[in-house]
Amino acid sequence: MGGADISGRQASAAPFAIELRGISKAFGPVQANKDISIQVAKGSIHGIIGENGAGKSTLMSILYGFYKADAGEIVIDGRVTSIPDSQSAIRAGIGMVFQHFKLVQNFTVLENVILGAEEGGMLAPSLAKARKVLADLAREYELDVDPDALIEDLSVGHQQRVEILKALYRQADILILDEPTGVLTPAEADHLFRILKGLRDQGKTIILITHKLREIMETTDTVSVMRRGTMVATVRTAETSPEELAELMVGRKVLLQVEKKPATPGQTVLEVENLRVRDPQGVERLKGISLTIRAGEILGIAGVAGNGQSELLEVLGGIARGTGTIRLNGRELDLTGRHSDGQSRRADGIAHVPEDRQVLGLIMDFTAWENVAFGYHHAPEYQKSALLMDNDAIRADCEKKMATFDVRPPIPTLAAKNFSGGNQQKIVVAREIERNPDLLLVGQPTRGVDIGAIEFIHKQIVALRDAGKAVLLVSVELDEIMSLADRIAVMFDGRIMGERLPDQTNERELGLLMAGVSGEAA
Amino acid sequence: MGRMPKWADAVLVPLLSLIIAFVISGLVILAIGEDPVEALKIMVTGALGSTYGWGYTLYYATNFIFTGLAVAIAFHAGLFNIGGEGQATLGGLGVAIACLMLPWPHWSLALLASVVLSAAFGAAWAAVPAWLQAKRGSHIVITTIMFNFIAAALLNYLLVNVMRPRGQMDPASARFPAETNLPDLHQMLGWIGIPFAKGTPANVSLFVALIACVVVWAIIWRTRLGYEIRSFGKSEKAAIYAGISPVRITMYAMLISGALSGLMAVNTVQGEANRLLLNSVEGAGFIGIAVALMGRSHPVGVFFAALLFGFLYQGGAELALWTKIPRELITVIQALVILFTGALDEMVRAPLKRMFLASGRGGQ
């Protein structure tokens, strides 16, 4: 270093922590990043927002050395830097906190922190040093974690802190966080943002990748919007609005609020009493759930992921077995025997949009038309004879559903894995809603779905409610629950902590319930 | 997108793998001081150069079609049935019982009976490991392998102690009545005036195998059961979500698979030997795995792969007959083909994929 050229660049540029100049990256004919330039000021929180597939992850992967850009350059602290691998990224002072943590579950916090950054052949000196550094960091940034705790014993929020500590221990000046709040309670998320602001105030630079407009508005100083591989705008957060950002992301005006009329609940459709479910390891996941849903009503189940919501959907959808009572339109359902499987539930009038469309809802290698029949492959209109299926009829039905639900591209013979997340979800939603069920189970309907499709899917769910059907909605997105549900039940540790009406509660109260603080104490 | 077209995956990949396997085989032959070009010539003329050669090639291919289809349908359910040997052994027992049980007036009726019994015996032999897998979670790879040994021991016992005619020295059943002998290709093609060499083992079972190809294709891609088998094979979790019972599908898939393996015995036991011998399966159950892998678990692919292995078997026998190349080397060549087409085909596919990707980009 120290050439005239470099000092010349330094003089001309403002002190940006990171500057990307004309980054392009193509995968085959797909242009994931097109001529992207951004400047991130030192000591700021910079948000990057965009729909799924907009190229955010690709861009960050280039910055962290996972991919090599086809064109363009990365300038860090005024110096053109090449980042061929993640080791170089760490050396350049970049730390990354992934959406899915990369921690060794049965190692302690300390061991995880030094993993890959051990000094010398013996562990003891590194551990001692790390212990001291961790104590300093904890004091400075509210990042307190017990250094001797095993990762598997920590809450998700604390595990995330370990990831941040790992980056800081490697002396990262630039911290990239990819969708950091997906697994956090509102309180944990608030804590995270306090930490991030603290880090910023100490001069660290933070890049926050998210699809949640609210987080961008609350925490960032500047925000860049990506759409289809290009950077469409970079604005100061104080000078923009969620509506403007959403429009920039999608390229057209979007309704952020779901428009719905007040509910007109009819008679009770679903009655659940003292429902208990054990997982294969024998751990009780549902500890006596009772709830009712009436016709023309959406019951929202809020809660942090992993508190029994999945098991509730599974036992109602005929995937898991349980004890207790479930009555649908007054008729008691089989919970353990021959009629407790998915086929019987469908015959009873329960449709299920599962939480994980890629694992449960779709066979990714199957074509769209094969997936349209999935679970309903016994339906009479799909049969040619006692033995043979009528593939032509299924294909025609698929075309019809694709048109109604605006699935793109509308090609029935395309494999499910080749559709975008939003269009995959539309296939599932089309299949389930078009059956006109008495009860629709919906899990995380808009996870990994772009804003345009979210709007559409929300409308479909509300339309089903308005047609007098019962809907059970499980979502970890509190916004989604607040705007869609007619009643909200909060789950924690396999129990329902309380029920609230959306217009008579707020995020703080729901957040406390989600954290297991009961209604009376809140 | 510059994705690899389907034809390339189905045709180009196995073809290139095959060429690599042959090139390496050639090097091995060269290394032991023989002429690889000459060897290939002997294999081709020996296996395909005359209707006599074809008679043997098609006979072996018939075996491999059955066992290949058996492995293929289990693959579609995500199950690895390596018990083809044992199921075919039991199938042989079914054929012997069918042929010796009643005095059949005509071969066609005997064929019908042996088809039904061999399939039933093969399916029954597959049913136990299938049930253990479905209900108890005992891994089907382990149990089907063990059932191969049990089948061999069972047949040994039956042939020595029960089915051996009084006074006969070798462990084999009585010879089947002449009425049960299946017409060979010489006879059958003679009916329509096509000359075909006499004395080859290829027989009417070949057509049973071809019918089996069509039936398996229809089951997999046209029936509800096939749809459920494929769903279960791709994702057990999703299958349960759709209300497809894992127990039911595991049982059905393995029953069909076992039945197909069992059918192989019609070709060897009734079509060729005319009596039940020890070890009449001769490893065809295991070749079926390679055939299914190479044929991408598709009946058409299985047919061509079976033909290839039939060629290798017959060509290899010719090689051992006419050259100093030892018999063991033929096994090496077969192993190389299995290795490259079955186990290592990703080695060919990955660079091929990249090539197509690159050309796709160039075309944009």
Side-chain angles (χ1 to χ4, degrees):
Chain A
M1 65 172 262
D5 178 44
I6 287 172
S7 59
R9 276 171 198 250
Q10 270 175 331
S12 67
F16 292 120
I18 297 186
E19 194 184 349
L20 300 178
R21 294 180 187 153
I23 298 278
S24 290
K25 174 74 186 171
F27 297 102
V30 179
Q31 191 79 31
N33 283 163
K34 267 177 278 188
D35 191 26
I36 292 200
S37 300
I38 46 169
Q39 298 163 332
V40 180
K42 223 178 208 133
S44 73
I45 300 181
H46 190 104
I48 294 186
I49 195 164
E51 296 193 283
N52 291 292
K56 297 172 299 200
S57 304
T58 306
L59 190 62
M60 290 307 123
S61 298
I62 289 170
L63 199 48
Y64 202 60
F66 284 162
Y67 297 141
K68 193 179 165 349
D70 298 335
E73 54 187 15
I74 301 169
V75 185
I76 292 175
D77 270 340
R79 267 194 304 278
V80 178
T81 312
S82 106
I83 305 181
D85 50 41
S86 55
Q87 287 299 321
S88 326
I90 292 168
R91 269 199 301 280
I94 300 173
M96 186 108 173
V97 176
F98 293 94
Q99 194 173 358
H100 302 287
F101 307 144
K102 306 200 181 301
L103 298 171
V104 183
Q105 289 292 313
N106 53 357
F107 272 21
T108 66
V109 171
L110 218 49
E111 286 168 333
N112 266 287
V113 166
I114 64 160
L115 187 64
E118 312 93 338
E119 292 153 23
M122 302 301 285
L123 281 181
S126 302
L127 285 169
K129 184 187 156 202
R131 188 180 296 279
K132 197 177 153 306
V133 174
L134 244 50
D136 292 345
L137 289 171
R139 210 168 328 113
E140 238 174 303
Y141 301 113
E142 265 192 87
L143 270 165
D144 37 342
V145 190
D146 174 8
D148 298 313
L150 290 178
I151 295 298
E152 57 198 3
D153 297 334
L154 294 180
S155 73
V156 183
H158 278 84
Q159 291 187 21
Q160 192 173 53
R161 279 183 220 168
V162 178
E163 283 283 8
I164 297 174
L165 285 169
K166 256 170 72 180
L168 294 177
Y169 183 72
R170 286 159 180 71
Q171 275 143 18
D173 286 320
I174 301 157
L175 209 55
I176 305 171
L177 293 103
D178 188 9
E179 300 280 358
T181 60
V183 287
L184 303 182
T185 64
E188 283 174 324
D190 285 345
H191 191 142
L192 172 70
F193 293 137
R194 275 206 306 283
I195 293 171
L196 294 184
K197 283 177 181 160
L199 287 168
R200 173 193 60 191
D201 295 342
Q202 298 287 326
K204 305 277 184 196
T205 307
I206 309 225
I207 298 181
L208 179 68
I209 305 166
T210 179
H211 67 277
K212 293 182 187 169
L213 292 164
R214 197 167 48 82
E215 291 172 2
I216 289 286
M217 296 307 294
E218 280 173 13
T219 47
T220 62
D221 301 306
T222 45
V223 52
S224 298
V225 184
M226 289 189 75
R227 184 169 79 225
R228 288 192 198 135
T230 58
M231 194 62 84
V232 288
T234 297
V235 290
R236 299 186 63 79
T237 310
E239 293 162 8
T240 186
S241 65
E243 287 75 16
E244 189 194 5
L245 288 178
E247 198 181 328
L248 284 168
M249 277 165 71
V250 185
R252 61 178 171 85
K253 280 228 181 296
V254 195
L255 277 175
L256 287 180
Q257 274 301 313
V258 186
E259 276 185 355
K260 58 174 184 145
K261 297 179 295 214
T264 50
Q267 70 196 50
T268 302
V269 173
L270 179 75
E271 267 183 285
V272 176
E273 274 168 35
N274 194 25
L275 183 63
R276 290 171 187 274
V277 172
R278 286 182 188 279
D279 68 11
Q281 283 76 42
V283 179
E284 197 165 48
R285 293 292 178 176
L286 287 187
K287 302 172 179 174
I289 295 273
S290 298
L291 52 85
T292 59
I293 310 178
R294 288 179 291 172
E297 181 185 49
I298 300 175
L299 175 69
I301 305 276
V304 179
N307 277 292
Q309 303 98 312
S310 310
E311 286 77 6
L312 178 62
L313 286 176
E314 283 176 3
V315 73
L316 286 170
I319 298 170
R321 312 284 167 261
T323 58
T325 326
I326 299 177
R327 272 188 293 272
L328 189 74
N329 292 322
R331 205 167 62 79
E332 196 170 325
L333 298 185
D334 185 1
L335 285 185
T336 48
R338 279 192 57 215
H339 298 288
S340 63
D341 68 334
Q343 283 299 318
S344 311
R345 293 289 194 268
R346 283 173 179 81
D348 289 332
I350 299 179
H352 183 185
V353 177
E355 288 185 298
D356 194 333
R357 61 179 165 272
Q358 304 199 339
V359 173
L360 291 180
L362 296 167
I363 302 266
M364 300 306 276
D365 287 337
F366 273 15
T367 59
W369 70 264
E370 284 172 309
N371 272 301
V372 157
F374 195 53
Y376 300 98
H377 49 278
H378 289 283
E381 68 267 30
Y382 291 158
Q383 314 306 321
K384 196 177 268 172
S385 64
L387 273 177
L388 300 181
M389 289 175 87
D390 193 345
N391 292 351
D392 294 329
I394 303 173
R395 235 166 302 188
D397 190 44
C398 180
E399 260 170 41
K400 219 174 72 200
K401 288 194 164 85
M402 284 178 139
T404 321
F405 280 75
D406 189 31
V407 177
R408 274 178 264 180
I411 306 172
T413 49
L414 198 62
K417 63 184 172 199
N418 294 329
F419 287 90
S420 72
N423 283 299
Q424 288 172 359
Q425 188 71 330
K426 280 183 184 175
I427 294 175
V428 178
V429 170
R431 178 182 75 206
E432 301 301 323
I433 284 189
E434 291 277 285
R435 287 281 146 187
N436 201 21
D438 290 336
L439 170 67
L440 179 69
L441 310 171
V442 200
Q444 321 296 353
T446 55
R447 179 188 280 169
V449 169
D450 43 81
I451 290 198
I454 288 178
E455 186 189 359
F456 184 85
I457 289 168
H458 281 173
K459 269 188 194 160
Q460 296 297 325
I461 294 173
V462 171
L464 192 73
R465 175 200 78 160
D466 292 342
K469 310 296 182 179
V471 179
L472 178 78
L473 168 73
V474 169
S475 176
V476 290
E477 306 273 348
L478 212 43
D479 294 346
E480 184 165 53
I481 296 275
M482 293 279 271
S483 60
L484 272 183
D486 300 312
R487 267 187 307 132
I488 301 174
V490 182
M491 277 186 75
F492 172 77
D493 192 29
R495 290 190 183 87
I496 288 183
M497 296 300 292
E499 273 193 29
R500 299 286 185 274
L501 294 173
D503 48 2
Q504 289 168 22
T505 185
N506 54 44
E507 293 211 347
R508 208 190 85 82
E509 188 187 16
L510 293 176
L512 282 173
L513 289 170
M514 284 161 70
V517 182
S518 73
E520 297 77 52
Chain B
M1 240 182 116
R3 205 175 291 124
M4 188 154 79
K6 263 191 182 157
W7 64 266
D9 191 43
V11 178
L12 216 51
V13 172
L15 205 64
L16 287 175
S17 306
L18 200 61
I19 289 170
I20 295 173
F22 275 133
V23 167
I24 295 181
S25 302
L27 292 178
V28 175
I29 290 171
L30 209 58
I32 61 164
E34 294 281 329
D35 181 0
V37 178
E38 186 60 26
L40 185 67
K41 229 183 259 169
I42 290 173
M43 283 183 80
V44 171
T45 46
L48 312 172
S50 63
T51 56
Y52 184 79
W54 272 103
Y56 275 91
T57 301
L58 288 175
Y59 167 72
Y60 293 125
T62 305
N63 289 341
F64 303 149
I65 291 174
F66 282 124
T67 54
L69 288 175
V71 176
I73 198 157
F75 270 160
H76 277 287
L79 299 166
F80 198 176
N81 176 17
I82 44 183
E85 287 291 299
Q87 291 143 21
T89 300
L90 264 285
L93 193 61
V95 171
I97 292 173
C99 289
L100 295 169
M101 190 175 54
L102 290 172
W104 298 104
H106 190 261
W107 64 265
S108 57
L109 293 175
L111 175 65
L112 205 64
S114 59
V115 161
V116 170
L117 272 194
S118 64
F121 273 58
W125 203 246
V128 184
W131 188 86
L132 288 171
Q133 165 83 62
K135 285 285 189 186
R136 317 292 306 211
S138 316
H139 204 287
I140 203 149
V141 169
I142 310 289
T143 47
T144 48
I145 271 212
M146 295 200 293
F147 264 65
N148 287 340
F149 291 104
I150 303 175
L154 178 68
L155 189 71
N156 202 342
Y157 170 81
L158 288 176
L159 284 181
V160 171
N161 298 297
V162 182
M163 298 179 81
R164 183 170 54 96
R166 194 182 292 267
Q168 184 179 297
M169 298 290 281
D170 54 341
S173 76
R175 194 159 282 282
F176 302 158
E179 288 78 16
T180 67
N181 291 1
L182 297 178
D184 61 13
L185 280 192
H186 167 74
Q187 280 171 278
M188 294 187 68
L189 292 175
W191 297 336
I192 50 172
I194 299 173
F196 196 90
K198 250 183 156 167
T200 70
N203 60 77
V204 65
S205 309
L206 172 64
F207 299 97
V208 180
L210 293 177
I211 293 169
C213 281
V214 177
V215 170
V216 167
W217 172 84
I219 289 176
I220 297 175
W221 279 287
R222 284 294 178 272
T223 67
R224 240 177 357 262
L225 177 66
Y227 180 87
E228 294 190 334
I229 286 177
R230 286 184 296 128
S231 304
F232 176 72
K234 295 279 185 198
S235 164
E236 181 171 352
K237 280 188 169 178
I240 294 171
Y241 156 81
I244 297 167
S245 155
V247 174
R248 193 175 146 262
I249 296 305
T250 303
M251 290 305 295
Y252 274 120
M254 282 303 289
L255 285 175
I256 297 173
S257 177
L260 286 163
S261 290
L263 280 173
M264 192 206 103
V266 175
N267 188 41
T268 55
V269 177
Q270 190 180 6
E272 205 259 335
N274 291 322
R275 56 187 186 143
L276 185 58
L277 299 161
L278 271 184
N279 194 27
S280 60
V281 184
E282 285 175 345
F286 292 121
I287 298 291
I289 300 168
V291 168
L293 281 173
M294 193 177 177
R296 297 268 167 283
S297 298
H298 192 290
V300 174
V302 164
F303 171 75
F304 283 109
L307 218 50
L308 170 73
F309 277 91
F311 158 74
L312 284 178
Y313 255 55
Q314 171 56 14
E318 293 282 321
L319 213 51
L321 200 61
W322 301 113
T323 67
K324 281 197 291 261
I325 297 173
R327 234 188 186 299
E328 287 70 29
L329 198 75
I330 286 105
T331 318
V332 171
I333 297 175
Q334 288 162 359
L336 281 167
V337 170
I338 294 174
L339 188 69
F340 280 94
T341 58
L344 290 179
D345 69 340
E346 202 53 38
M347 201 173 73
V348 173
R349 187 179 292 118
L352 213 58
K353 243 181 196 162
R354 273 199 295 281
M355 257 170 53
F356 275 103
L357 210 65
S359 70
R361 192 185 305 166
Q364 283 283 308

